[in-house]
Amino acid sequence: MTAVLNASSSSTDPRLLPSSATAAANAAAASFAALMERLDYLDAASVELVRQAYRYADTAHLGQLRNSGEPYITHPIAVAAQCANWKLDAQALMAALLHDAMEDCGVTKADLIDRFGAPVAELVDGLTKLDKLQFDTREENQAESFRKMLLAMARDVRVILIKLADRTHNMRTLSDMPRSKWGRISSETLEIYAPIAHRLGLNQTYRELQDLAFRHLHPWRYTTLSKAVSKSRNRRRDLVQKVQADVDAVFARMGMAARLAGREKTLYAIYQKMVLKHLSFAQVTDLYGFRVIVPTVTDCYTALGVLHQMYKPVPGKFKDHIAIAKLNGYQSLHTTLVGPSGVNIEFQMRTEEMHVIAEAGVAAHWLYKAQDTEDKAAERLGTKWLQSLLDIQNETRDAAEFWDHVKVDLFPDAVYVFTPKSQIMALPRGATVVDFAYAIHSNIGNRTAAAKINNEQVPLRTELKNGDVVEIITTPHASPNPAWLGFVRTGRARSKIRNYLKTLAHSESEGLGEKLLAQALRAEGLQQLPPVVEETQAIWDKLLRFTGSRSRSELMTDLGLGKRIASIVAKRLMVLMAEHGHRPDALLLTRERYSSHETVSQGGVTLDGSENASVQYAPCCRPIPGDAIVGYLGRGEGLVVHAAQCPVAKKLQNKDSERFIAVDWADEPTRMFETGVIVTVRNGKGVLARIAAELAHSEADITHVDMDDEVALDTVDLRFVVAVRDHMHLDAALRNLRRVPAVLRATRTVPPE
């Protein structure tokens, strides 16, 4: 004890402190002495580094107290002690001791680099929350802080191990906090930290965090359930002891080296089962279980056979997580048996190595030093998930959106499916065909056109089930659909789709903007945009300063999205060109002015249907080739195409005429266009089928159908959205519909005035 006190800063010398401070210093020194006793796995040089970090942290936190009245330094020591239980290296233990120094004591990252080196400083920085003054709301601060921590974790997993040790100790001492904070901290633990622990295979920490959060979130329920479990434990003690003795005897008789350990379901797991399955406590039958730990994988299957000879297995309750490991690297055989007195008892068979990984997850990398374990752990223990965090970050700059993607991947349930070449893949429960495609490769996901499950074609939104064989059909011209975001389940798929759509919209809007500016410039008497070369660079720089754009690309994108008016930018560009000696072409100027449309203020655009994200066809009037059309550059919406007679377009023209541009159809559109049709029919059996058949015969694809609620009426309006090539195609389809005997009237939908 004296040696430890001497190791701490001189400012905590007991002779210089009053009696209460002496007691506090002794308490801190005692807890550090207990930590030092756990460091027998480190060499002397590493232990000395840990001691130096303790001295520094002790000085930094001098005078600070926890809510319990203990010196604050006891918290970093407790966090380091948990890390020592996982046998983490000296750098991680130093970071654990220093983890609050930057946030609470004014210590800078540069200070830590100078004193302890860059690796330790990076770990501490990854654990430090962002300054709350940078953000408008607590939620924004929290989302950005989580992003920082998770990205630091993806680069170095020790960050999250220290953070989980920190959260575990905070939860153990939560009773010392004001009760008003229990709910928020407990909910955060259940929603974020416990799932992360589970995702990384830290099952012991996962279970403890859940129970501690449950205790503080629902104290009365926790106490009631705890008493019920205690009574049940007393009632069934004889039964459990009998099962253990019988199983031990059988394994001994067979000469198998098996270690049997009892396992009790956690209070939170019991509570969750009661809530989700609407059970009373008496109906929860799998409170108790056993783990059978054996030397080899073969012994696991042998032990399973032995147990099935002793007790009858419950059908459908066998799971082989050895052949197919869980997403977080967990491996075991699970079976539920009908024990004495008809009580169900779960058995788990695993090797010693599997047991360490099952309890400690990624921490097994340090805990268990058997040959090849490091490689196996790296292969199995969520490293793909850690890497996916970096992938998602590269495509998602918004912290809330990043956190939204990551939360999706924290749910532990999984389904296991196969590729056509029998490679097994694990995906979250509820994952769809599109999730599977993106799990293989982002290019496969982006080019997905169709899919087969077990050799049968299925919709892309189909959810996968265990054992499905999934085949993805791709085409070179396929691309992600925004509707996919409504059903994909994995953060990877969601971020890849969003990134693709953003990039596509950006590039298409840039192309449209360039076309609009070129057209507007023709009206000013210049044939084309000045090239981006050294001679004209000064002109472009001045134009960008005028518009406030950071680059030419950004300016063109803003023009394409309607954030800027092309004619105004063209006029400014013409002024700049004139300053550099360029003169307008008088003939072009005259021709453009005489041919310009009186209701539009910008140049025209030709549409063929290939514009995708940069051009939208207004749902109010659904224009098709052959209709007279106008284009409206909505602010930030890109180009919206309306029928010229659309009441909405006319209203916008009266209010915002400078945002309208001339648009026209290409001679040969590349796709079909949707429009609305109302068919009034005599109500009767099979009428809808006959109408649909007639539309199919006319080669008009039905994309949506709706009908009156009053189905008992003699006449009914059927409302269709159909895809047609052009005005002539629509007219032909309507003529064919009018020939159907049950049809009273068939017309195109007209937007209301």
Side-chain angles (χ1 to χ4, degrees):
M1 178 68 73
T2 307
V4 175
L5 280 169
N6 291 338
S8 65
S9 60
S10 59
S11 56
T12 56
D13 189 330
R15 293 169 297 178
L16 306 177
L17 300 169
S19 58
S20 60
T22 302
N26 287 340
S31 60
F32 183 68
L35 169 64
M36 297 301 287
E37 290 172 5
R38 302 185 190 194
L39 304 186
D40 53 355
Y41 64 94
L42 295 177
D43 56 41
S46 297
V47 171
E48 179 56 31
L49 289 172
V50 174
R51 185 178 280 111
Q52 288 175 19
Y54 164 71
R55 289 175 187 150
Y56 190 89
D58 187 33
T59 303
H61 290 292
L62 188 64
Q64 294 180 359
L65 298 176
R66 302 201 83 213
N67 287 312
S68 61
E70 294 178 315
Y72 193 89
I73 190 64
T74 56
H75 168 63
I77 292 171
V79 174
Q82 176 60 57
C83 294
N85 288 344
W86 289 327
K87 304 289 191 290
L88 299 194
D89 56 17
Q91 288 180 346
L93 296 176
M94 292 161 72
L97 288 165
L98 298 162
H99 77 271
D100 279 334
M102 283 175 65
E103 196 172 320
D104 297 339
C105 306
V107 175
T108 66
K109 188 176 179 180
D111 294 337
L112 294 181
I113 291 174
D114 290 342
R115 189 70 181 264
F116 301 107
V120 173
E122 287 294 340
L123 287 173
V124 175
D125 184 52
L127 291 158
T128 303
K129 294 192 191 79
L130 299 171
D131 186 354
K132 292 180 177 61
L133 298 177
Q134 297 176 16
F135 302 98
D136 297 330
T137 65
R138 178 186 182 86
E139 291 73 20
E140 189 182 345
N141 171 259
Q142 188 183 46
E144 194 64 66
S145 293
F146 282 135
R147 174 161 75 165
K148 180 187 175 189
M149 180 188 74
L150 288 167
L151 292 176
M153 174 185 87
R155 290 188 287 270
D156 191 335
V157 76
R158 292 176 297 179
V159 168
I160 198 63
L161 291 174
I162 299 168
K163 186 64 185 178
L164 288 171
D166 173 41
R167 178 52 62 127
T168 302
H169 186 251
N170 281 334
M171 290 302 297
R172 287 171 182 166
T173 57
L174 190 59
S175 298
D176 297 325
M177 293 278 286
R179 190 151 186 169
S180 59
K181 295 186 178 182
W182 286 12
R184 178 182 61 79
I185 296 172
S186 298
S187 296
E188 188 179 270
T189 300
L190 276 179
E191 291 168 10
I192 297 165
Y193 292 102
I196 289 175
H198 190 279
R199 196 69 174 76
L200 297 175
L202 294 148
N203 286 319
Q204 196 168 351
T205 303
Y206 166 64
R207 291 192 293 265
E208 182 177 1
L209 286 175
Q210 282 189 326
D211 267 13
L212 288 169
F214 177 39
R215 177 194 294 177
H216 292 94
L217 203 57
H218 303 294
W220 183 84
R221 297 178 202 181
Y222 180 91
T223 304
T224 304
L225 203 53
S226 180
K227 289 177 181 176
V229 169
S230 180
K231 287 180 183 176
S232 174
R233 191 184 299 130
N234 291 332
R235 283 198 305 271
R236 295 190 177 178
R237 183 180 290 118
D238 293 342
L239 173 69
V240 172
Q241 288 175 349
K242 180 182 187 322
V243 170
Q244 184 159 359
D246 289 350
V247 173
D248 278 335
V250 169
F251 283 130
R253 197 161 55 245
M254 294 193 63
M256 280 187 69
R259 179 161 65 87
L260 202 64
R263 179 195 65 82
E264 187 176 278
K265 209 174 187 71
T266 64
L267 291 180
Y268 183 73
I270 296 169
Y271 174 68
Q272 280 291 88
K273 189 161 189 175
M274 290 168 64
V275 170
L276 293 175
K277 298 195 174 181
H278 307 290
L279 303 176
S280 66
F281 177 75
Q283 292 172 305
V284 180
T285 57
D286 56 344
L287 293 179
Y288 308 104
F290 292 95
R291 293 194 179 104
V292 181
I293 299 166
V294 291
T296 68
V297 172
T298 305
D299 290 335
C300 292
Y301 291 94
T302 305
L304 175 72
V306 170
L307 290 169
H308 280 196
Q309 293 301 310
M310 286 184 64
Y311 303 116
K312 295 295 181 191
V314 177
K317 289 290 187 179
F318 168 67
K319 293 177 184 174
D320 189 340
H321 293 302
I322 293 179
I324 304 174
K326 286 190 176 184
L327 285 170
N328 58 14
Y330 175 90
Q331 287 186 294
S332 280
L333 294 178
H334 289 199
T335 187
T336 302
L337 308 177
V338 181
S341 307
V343 176
N344 288 359
I345 301 174
E346 185 185 57
F347 282 84
Q348 300 171 353
M349 281 63 68
R350 59 178 72 154
T351 65
E352 193 69 52
E353 180 186 350
M354 289 174 193
H355 182 59
V356 173
I357 291 175
E359 293 303 297
V362 289
H365 172 86
W366 291 272
L367 262 174
Y368 198 78
K369 298 296 182 183
Q371 187 177 9
D372 295 331
T373 300
E374 189 173 313
D375 296 334
K376 288 177 183 174
E379 182 183 337
R380 287 201 300 260
L381 298 172
T383 50
K384 286 185 178 178
W385 180 61
L386 296 178
Q387 182 58 44
S388 77
L389 295 180
L390 296 177
D391 293 341
I392 292 171
Q393 158 68 8
N394 290 336
E395 292 152 3
T396 310
R397 295 300 168 193
D398 178 67
E401 188 178 316
F402 171 83
W403 183 236
D404 181 46
H405 293 328
V406 172
K407 278 197 294 190
V408 164
D409 286 336
L410 286 179
F411 292 94
D413 286 345
V415 292
Y416 300 90
V417 295
F418 296 90
T419 67
K421 294 183 179 178
S422 299
Q423 177 189 351
I424 192 164
M425 296 189 71
L427 291 163
R429 191 167 299 283
T432 64
V433 169
V434 175
D435 292 296
F436 175 86
Y438 278 102
I440 297 172
H441 196 279
S442 55
N443 284 343
I444 301 291
N446 289 341
R447 297 286 169 255
T448 297
K452 291 182 179 179
I453 293 180
N454 305 327
N455 237 11
E456 290 185 6
Q457 191 147 346
V458 295
L460 294 182
R461 65 186 308 125
T462 304
E463 291 189 6
L464 304 176
K465 298 191 291 295
N466 277 324
D468 281 344
V469 178
V470 188
E471 180 186 352
I472 302 296
I473 301 164
T474 61
T475 61
H477 304 296
S479 63
N481 187 322
W484 292 359
L485 291 169
F487 58 77
V488 290
R489 187 70 180 77
T490 58
R492 175 183 173 82
R494 191 179 297 275
S495 69
K496 293 285 183 188
I497 294 166
R498 278 186 175 164
N499 184 59
Y500 184 95
L501 294 172
K502 282 178 186 174
T503 305
L504 179 69
H506 184 278
S507 61
E508 290 189 344
S509 297
E510 184 180 342
L512 176 63
E514 194 158 336
K515 192 185 294 185
L516 290 172
L517 185 57
Q519 290 283 7
L521 204 58
R522 284 172 62 83
E524 300 300 324
L526 280 180
Q527 189 70 42
Q528 58 187 16
L529 290 172
V532 185
V533 293
E534 192 174 338
E535 292 78 18
T536 59
Q537 188 61 50
I539 295 174
W540 281 110
D541 289 344
K542 288 179 181 177
L543 184 66
L544 293 177
R545 280 198 296 275
F546 169 74
T547 59
S549 304
R550 286 171 292 186
S551 65
R552 183 180 183 278
S553 172
E554 184 180 287
L555 172 59
M556 298 305 172
T557 302
D558 285 350
L559 287 168
L561 290 172
K563 293 180 180 178
R564 300 192 183 281
I565 303 298
S567 57
I568 296 173
V569 176
K571 282 180 171 61
R572 181 62 183 176
L573 181 55
M574 189 62 237
V575 171
L576 296 172
M577 295 282 285
E579 289 174 1
H580 286 74
H582 297 273
R583 293 286 175 266
D585 181 330
L587 181 61
L588 177 63
L589 192 61
T590 304
R591 188 169 68 236
E592 287 293 320
R593 284 181 177 171
Y594 274 107
S595 62
S596 65
H597 196 284
E598 60 181 9
T599 61
V600 296
S601 61
Q602 304 185 33
V605 174
T606 302
L607 307 172
D608 65 0
S610 64
E611 301 83 10
N612 292 332
S614 63
V615 176
Q616 301 173 47
Y617 293 88
C620 52
C621 52
R622 299 188 189 276
I624 58 175
D627 289 341
I629 50 176
V630 291
Y632 174 69
L633 275 169
R635 292 173 177 81
E637 301 170 6
L639 181 60
V640 182
V641 179
H642 288 268
Q645 299 305 313
C646 174
V648 175
K650 288 181 176 179
K651 186 176 179 181
L652 288 170
Q653 268 185 321
N654 292 333
K655 186 176 69 173
D656 244 352
S657 60
E658 76 281 357
R659 291 192 161 272
F660 276 80
I661 66 170
V663 288
D664 205 355
W665 298 106
D667 292 336
E668 294 185 7
T670 60
R671 65 174 177 87
M672 298 174 81
F673 294 80
E674 292 184 347
T675 192
V677 170
I678 296 181
V679 184
T680 305
V681 298
R682 292 189 187 89
N683 206 353
K685 290 181 181 178
V687 170
L688 180 58
R690 287 198 293 277
I691 301 298
E694 193 57 52
L695 285 170
H697 177 69
S698 302
E699 298 181 352
D701 294 336
I702 300 171
T703 59
H704 182 76
V705 62
D706 193 13
M707 61 189 296
D708 289 336
D709 292 335
E710 298 88 355
V711 290
L713 295 177
D714 291 338
T715 58
V716 177
D717 282 343
L718 303 177
R719 297 176 183 84
F720 294 92
V721 177
V722 296
V724 293
R725 291 185 295 275
D726 52 30
H727 217 292
M728 292 175 64
H729 185 193
L730 175 63
D731 288 344
L734 291 174
R735 280 198 302 273
N736 292 339
L737 284 175
R738 291 176 189 128
R739 293 193 188 109
V740 176
V743 173
L744 300 174
R745 185 170 62 251
T747 58
R748 184 178 176 184
T749 305
V750 178
E753 288 291 338

